């Protein structure tokens, strides 16, 4: 005989618990465990119900046209989405409050409205507030359909009546409310239920759905895992509110590459695209300063040059301070350990600060060599040549390893007027061997300085010997 069991499920990570608890044992979230509808459990050996229907299998090989794309006229947004918006897809735009999500989506819908039906539903602001913002952006006359609503049942009913719209913006998913779930707006259950109903409507009616999601204090979207699984594309809008740069980053995309970035600048007339981010990130650089080094990085498909700054100062603390903005602390510790063990530069008695200028967050290990150069430069007080770019990965034995997209990095550096590049040795050799005659004309003025080991970087600073002597074990303090 079938018996029913109660089940308790964490709404954040999906782990099942035998009984209710205030905190989920599996993900550590509070107040996320709720009782789910009892399900029928059949005794062993009894198969449930009648046989299922047979499904059709098809060959993997087949003709499927790539999905048509609708471009927004905001090139940076289109690229991050993989070349435009796909009909019937759901895009989650996450970011800190006040970073510019509403501004970006209002600008995008205003552009799209010229030849598509766009609906902008706000649960956070009043109609008047949105109108004022549109006026400020110079878009008051755009044919965007506006509504202030929070009840998802009403919203879905309106979207399903009549001709379907092409693009729908929900600002924000945390303010939406569905009576199918009985918790308060903003809770994981509500967010999940509302998103589910809206996404289902988007698939059924074939419109592109933008969901705005706020980031919690811990830096994740509320109900993060659930939402990220449900949508097709996840974009994070990030940046430093002290700077005017904003970076839109794709972290998941079923219709395009991830790790692609779009760069914007917040002005008093809204967000402007930044078509040449390297020039922007290097705009405030002052040449011939110690501790500064230009890294030739790749963000998505695009080369981006950024300045890495380091400060090394004698520490009065028992445990010296290590502070990193825009890079990984673990990776910094590794580079310092390699410099210590393989090149004799001990930073043990020093506070270290590392900063990626402009508010960009670098994730590539290719920045290792630039970080090492910035550190050695800061320690010795000797600047890295102002016309040099640096890239390369560092291994634990101190070797400098080749990185991908070398030519793209070099081309961008040449374009911005750099004259030398500190590059991994193996890569430079391999490519010269391949075709020594046809060196790309765009990078012919660039002198390559090959590095095989971190020692090669250290020996470019004549003061490194003094720093080594002052910090060597047994010497100093
Ligand atoms: P907003 O789009 O409301 O952020 P979010 O929806 O992510 O919470 O952006 C608000 C911020 O942007 C606010 O601090 C003011 C600033 N801003 C400008 O600097 N210029 C502008 O033209 C607009 C519309 C906003
Ligand atoms: Mg907003």
């Amino acid at each position: 005989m079938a018996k029913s069991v109660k089940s308790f499920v964490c709404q954040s990570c999906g782990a099942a618990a035998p009984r209710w608890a205030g905190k989920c044992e599996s993900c550590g979230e509070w107040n996320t465990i709720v009782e789910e509808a009892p399900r029928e459990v059949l005794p062993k050996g009894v198969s449930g119900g009648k046989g299922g229907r047979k499904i059709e299998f098809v060959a993997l090989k087949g003709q499927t046209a790539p999905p048509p794309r609708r471009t927004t006229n905001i090139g940076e947004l289109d690229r991050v989405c993989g070349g435009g918006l796909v009909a019937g897809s759901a895009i989650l735009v996450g970011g800190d409050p006040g970073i510019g999500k509403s501004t970006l989506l209002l600008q995008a819908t205003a552009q799209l409205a010229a030849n598509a039906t766009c609906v902008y539903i706000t649960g956070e602001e009043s109609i008047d507030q949105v109108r004022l913002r549109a006026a400020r952006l110079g878009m008051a006359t755009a044919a965007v359909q506006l509504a202030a609503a929070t009840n998802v049942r009403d919203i879905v009913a309106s979207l399903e009546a009549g001709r379907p719209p092409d693009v729908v913006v929900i600002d924000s998913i945390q303010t939406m409310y569905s009576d199918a779930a009985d918790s308060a707006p903003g809770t994981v259950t509500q967010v999940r239920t509302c998103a589910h109903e809206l996404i289902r409507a988007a698939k059924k009616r074939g419109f592109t759905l933008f969901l705005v999601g706020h980031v919690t204090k811990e830096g994740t979207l509320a109900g993060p895992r659930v939402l990220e699984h449900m949508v097709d594309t996840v974009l994070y809008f990030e940046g430093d509110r002290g700077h005017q740069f904003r970076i839109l980053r794709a972290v998941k995309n079923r219709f395009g590459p991830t790790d692609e970035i779009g760069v914007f600048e917040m002005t008093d007339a809204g967000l402007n695209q930044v078509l040449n981010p390297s020039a922007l990130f290097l705009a405030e650089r002052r040449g011939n300063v110690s501790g500064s080094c230009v890294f030739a990085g790749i963000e998505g498909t695009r080369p981006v040059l950024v300045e890495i700054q380091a400060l090394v100062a004698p520490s009065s603390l028992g445990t010296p301070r290590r502070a990193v903005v825009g890079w990984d602390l673990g990776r910094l510790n590794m580079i310092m350990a390699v410099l210590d063990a393989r090149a004799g530069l001990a930073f043990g008695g020093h506070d270290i600060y590392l900063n990626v200028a402009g508010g960009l967050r670098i994730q590539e290990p290719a920045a290792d060599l630039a970080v090492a150069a910035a550190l050695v430069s800061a320690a010795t007080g000797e600047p890295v040549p102002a016309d040099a770019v640096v890239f390369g990965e560092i291994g634990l034995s101190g070797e400098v390893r080749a990185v991908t997209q070398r030519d793209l990095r070099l081309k961008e550096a040449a374009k911005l007027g750099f004259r030398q590049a500190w590059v991994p040795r193996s890569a430079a050799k391999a490519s010269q061997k391949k075709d020594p005659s046809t060196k790309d004309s765009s990078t012919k003025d660039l002198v390559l300085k090959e590095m095989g080991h971190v020692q090669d970087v250290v020996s470019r600073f004549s003061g490194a010997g003094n720093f080594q002597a002052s910090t060597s074990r047994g010497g100093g303090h």
Side-chain angles (χ1 to χ4, degrees):
M1 208 192 83
K3 64 172 183 176
S4 68
V5 287
K6 281 184 176 175
S7 70
F8 294 88
V9 178
C10 170
Q11 303 297 300
S12 178
C13 68
R19 67 191 69 82
W20 189 86
K23 184 181 180 189
C24 171
E25 290 286 326
S26 156
C27 67
E29 289 282 324
W30 286 90
N31 293 329
T32 54
I33 296 187
V34 297
E35 184 180 343
E36 292 204 338
R39 76 196 137 86
E40 294 275 295
V41 176
L42 295 165
K44 269 208 185 107
V46 179
S47 68
K50 297 177 222 101
R53 243 181 333 125
K54 213 170 144 238
I55 54 169
E56 290 292 321
F57 294 97
V58 297
L60 178 61
K61 185 165 161 272
Q63 293 292 323
T64 305
R69 307 264 183 179
R70 184 185 297 282
T71 52
T72 60
N73 267 345
I74 302 180
E76 297 288 293
L77 175 62
D78 289 338
R79 204 198 27 254
V80 173
C81 293
L85 312 178
V86 176
S89 73
I91 301 167
L92 176 67
V93 180
D96 287 332
I99 204 76
K101 303 179 294 294
S102 306
T103 308
L104 176 69
L105 292 177
L106 190 60
Q107 284 183 261
T109 41
Q111 292 277 355
L112 281 163
N115 40 26
T117 327
C118 297
V119 174
Y120 188 101
I121 298 170
T122 171
E124 300 206 326
E125 292 159 303
S126 66
I127 300 273
D128 288 338
Q129 281 173 313
V130 180
R131 282 192 179 141
L132 277 176
R133 178 187 310 222
R136 190 167 153 191
L137 298 171
M139 296 172 162
T141 56
V144 177
Q145 317 237 8
L146 203 58
T150 52
N151 187 326
V152 168
R153 187 190 292 267
D154 296 346
I155 294 172
V156 170
S158 320
L159 294 174
E160 293 196 339
R163 216 170 69 81
D166 297 310
V167 177
V168 174
V169 175
I170 302 288
D171 187 5
S172 65
I173 189 68
Q174 274 99 352
T175 54
M176 294 296 139
Y177 174 81
S178 165
D179 42 24
D182 53 4
S183 46
T187 55
V188 177
T189 321
Q190 274 293 350
V191 165
R192 181 163 75 166
T193 313
C194 295
H196 182 73
E197 287 178 25
L198 290 163
I199 292 169
R200 201 171 46 189
K203 304 264 179 246
K204 191 165 137 199
R205 303 285 278 166
F207 56 82
T208 305
L209 175 69
F210 278 103
L211 298 174
V212 173
H214 287 299
V215 166
T216 60
K217 273 192 245 72
E218 294 78 41
T220 48
L221 288 157
R225 296 276 90 83
V226 266
L227 272 187
E228 290 190 3
H229 286 310
M230 290 164 79
V231 298
D232 300 300
T233 304
V234 179
L235 308 179
Y236 273 94
F237 206 29
E238 46 189 47
D240 192 341
R241 250 180 296 168
H243 287 103
Q244 71 272 43
F245 318 131
R246 299 284 183 273
I247 290 152
L248 187 66
R249 189 186 291 276
V251 293
K252 164 182 172 178
N253 196 350
R254 287 191 184 138
F255 301 107
T258 51
D259 285 329
E260 194 69 81
I261 64 164
V263 184
F264 296 89
E265 194 180 4
M266 182 62 100
T267 67
D268 50 6
L271 289 158
N272 281 345
Q273 304 185 63
V274 174
L275 299 174
N276 188 347
S278 302
L280 182 87
F281 288 130
L282 298 180
E284 281 167 44
R285 191 170 69 103
R286 296 180 22 236
N288 278 329
V289 186
S290 67
S292 153
C293 176
V294 177
F295 165 56
I298 299 282
E299 289 288 342
T301 53
R302 193 158 56 156
V304 175
L305 304 193
V306 278
E307 181 187 359
I308 293 181
Q309 300 172 329
L311 181 67
V312 174
S315 178
S316 54
L317 302 169
T319 311
R321 198 184 295 270
R322 271 94 180 82
V324 185
V325 178
W327 210 48
D328 181 37
L329 179 62
R331 199 90 196 165
L332 171 68
N333 285 331
M334 190 203 94
I335 307 276
M336 288 195 300
V338 171
L339 283 171
D340 185 354
R342 310 294 177 192
L345 286 167
F347 293 99
H350 291 78
D351 288 337
I352 309 275
Y353 299 88
L354 191 82
N355 177 36
V356 177
L360 189 70
R361 203 157 39 80
I362 301 181
Q363 281 152 344
E364 273 190 294
D368 291 354
L369 198 65
V371 170
L375 283 174
V376 182
S377 163
T380 57
E382 286 170 50
V384 175
D387 62 353
V389 296
V390 181
F391 60 88
E393 185 178 339
I394 294 177
L396 286 184
S397 60
E399 83 278 16
V400 179
R401 297 159 161 246
V403 298
T404 55
Q405 314 261 42
R406 178 173 159 275
D407 291 341
L408 208 56
R409 296 174 203 264
L410 292 176
K411 260 188 210 156
E412 179 78 358
K415 201 168 91 191
L416 284 153
F418 286 87
R419 305 301 296 271
Q420 55 174 305
W422 297 8
V423 300
R425 171 168 298 152
S426 48
K429 280 267 169 59
S431 122
Q432 269 166 13
K433 242 183 271 162
K434 209 168 58 194
D435 48 5
S437 55
T438 58
K439 195 174 167 188
D440 200 320
S441 63
S442 63
T443 57
K444 70 177 185 311
D445 292 334
L446 208 59
V447 180
L448 300 186
K449 307 260 157 97
E450 300 174 0
M451 310 276 160
H453 193 273
V454 282
Q455 188 61 54
D456 298 342
V457 180
V458 175
S459 59
R460 297 207 154 253
F461 298 86
S462 56
N466 296 339
F467 186 78
Q468 278 161 331
S470 74
T471 59
S472 66
R473 292 184 189 89
H477 35 227

